[in-house]
Amino acid sequence: KKIRWKEISMIFQGAMNALNPVIKVGGQVAEVLMLHEGMTKEEALEVVRELFIQVGLEPGRVNAYPHQLSGGMKQRVVIAMALALRPSLVIADEPTTALDVTIQAQILDLLKKLQRRFGVSVIYITHDLAVLAEVANKVAIMYAGYIMEYGDVVSIFKEPIHPYTKGLIGSIPSISRIKKRRKLFSIPGAPPDLRQMAPGCPFAPRCPLAKDICRKEVPEPREINKQIVRCHFADELVGVPPEDIWLKILETA
């Protein structure tokens, strides 16, 4: 309780599900301040009005119910709640899910501004590579609970090393692929059942380079070119374009 919201807070996926539909949004944010700071309801609501201004909402919205707000507005309320106690770390779980592209851009821009203003670190959990490219400094590519590759955002996008990272980057639509008349492709197979994990590298069943050692031993993370990579053959993959790794997939796509 001492850590939750005060040191580490969270922006939940799907703002509508994170807000109580029968309680005014101002009261929901104020509750955090009342519980942790011992404020009266009137004092807390005054702070909430200031928070709403900072996240781009009118102060009068404290009296609104969730159903009276748009998706973007509800997400701003959740952001205000996450920042109410000035935590040092905010975990943002798919913060732009179910929002249209224009509102997504506004929310991401708001988060970046608030991050600088409050000096807070933000961990983004997302499947959207475009979001990563827009907001991240460091990126951890995860698969089946393992960090497969970790590094700065520029290196991950320009010089991915792990086959899974190369597959993700290679599946992004691009003008160059259109010019070369290459079809979009996807990584074959499906993620493993985490309740019945096979031995070895979790990505081995879907990896085009998998060998016997991959099916027997989980690779240890290694540092290569300032990136941390979990692959038995990482040294051989440095500088290899995604298309070369996934050539057979591209040819049959």
Side-chain angles (χ1 to χ4, degrees):
K1 184 178 179 180
K2 292 180 180 179
I3 295 176
R4 189 171 64 243
W5 295 108
K6 195 169 183 65
E7 296 295 331
I8 302 175
S9 65
M10 188 162 184
I11 300 171
F12 292 95
Q13 181 177 355
M16 188 64 229
N17 297 327
L19 296 171
N20 190 318
V22 297
I23 299 177
K24 294 178 180 179
V25 293
Q28 296 186 55
V29 180
E31 185 178 14
V32 175
L33 295 161
M34 293 163 64
L35 287 174
H36 287 269
E37 300 294 328
M39 295 183 182
T40 64
K41 186 173 183 178
E42 291 72 23
E43 291 171 337
L45 284 173
E46 189 59 36
V47 174
V48 173
R49 291 187 183 94
E50 291 296 324
L51 277 170
F52 275 20
I53 293 173
Q54 293 182 20
V55 299
L57 290 172
E58 297 176 0
R61 293 292 183 178
V62 295
N63 294 315
Y65 289 94
H67 72 271
Q68 295 175 311
L69 304 178
S70 67
M73 288 178 174
K74 285 194 281 280
Q75 194 67 308
R76 291 171 189 267
V77 171
V78 174
I79 292 171
M81 187 183 299
L83 295 173
L85 298 177
R86 303 293 192 270
S88 56
L89 174 65
V90 173
I91 301 172
D93 183 10
E94 300 280 7
T96 58
T97 295
L99 301 177
D100 64 55
V101 176
T102 302
I103 302 301
Q104 282 186 23
Q106 292 176 4
I107 294 298
L108 292 176
D109 185 58
L110 172 65
L111 284 170
K112 287 191 291 185
K113 288 179 179 178
L114 294 173
Q115 183 179 359
R116 290 192 294 267
R117 184 181 303 169
F118 295 126
V120 60
S121 297
V122 181
I123 295 177
Y124 290 88
I125 302 171
T126 182
H127 294 89
D128 192 333
L129 294 176
V131 169
L132 286 180
E134 178 71 20
V135 302
N137 296 315
K138 299 283 187 178
V139 176
I141 302 295
M142 297 191 68
Y143 185 83
Y146 288 86
I147 293 179
M148 309 308 280
E149 186 164 357
Y150 174 81
D152 69 83
V153 65
V154 175
S155 298
I156 291 293
F157 275 84
K158 287 191 173 182
E159 300 175 356
I161 297 175
H162 195 281
Y164 179 54
T165 311
K166 290 179 185 289
L168 292 177
I169 301 301
S171 65
I172 299 175
S174 67
I175 298 299
S176 62
R177 178 167 285 115
I178 294 174
K179 289 181 178 179
K180 295 177 182 178
R181 298 181 181 276
R182 287 177 172 170
K183 296 181 180 180
L184 288 176
F185 73 97
S186 59
I187 298 173
D193 185 344
L194 299 183
R195 298 169 299 177
Q196 298 177 331
M197 291 286 288
C201 175
F203 189 60
R206 304 176 70 186
C207 182
L209 304 177
K211 298 181 181 179
D212 287 342
I213 189 173
C214 303
R215 300 179 183 90
K216 295 177 181 177
E217 299 178 14
V218 176
E220 293 295 326
R222 291 184 289 158
E223 183 173 352
I224 300 176
N225 293 350
K226 297 184 179 181
Q227 290 163 238
I228 307 298
V229 187
R230 189 184 289 272
C231 178
H232 291 296
F233 307 104
D235 291 320
E236 304 172 20
L237 298 175
V238 176
V240 179
E243 288 81 2
D244 290 357
I245 299 296
W246 294 92
L247 184 59
K248 292 181 180 179
I249 304 299
L250 285 168
E251 290 175 345
T252 58

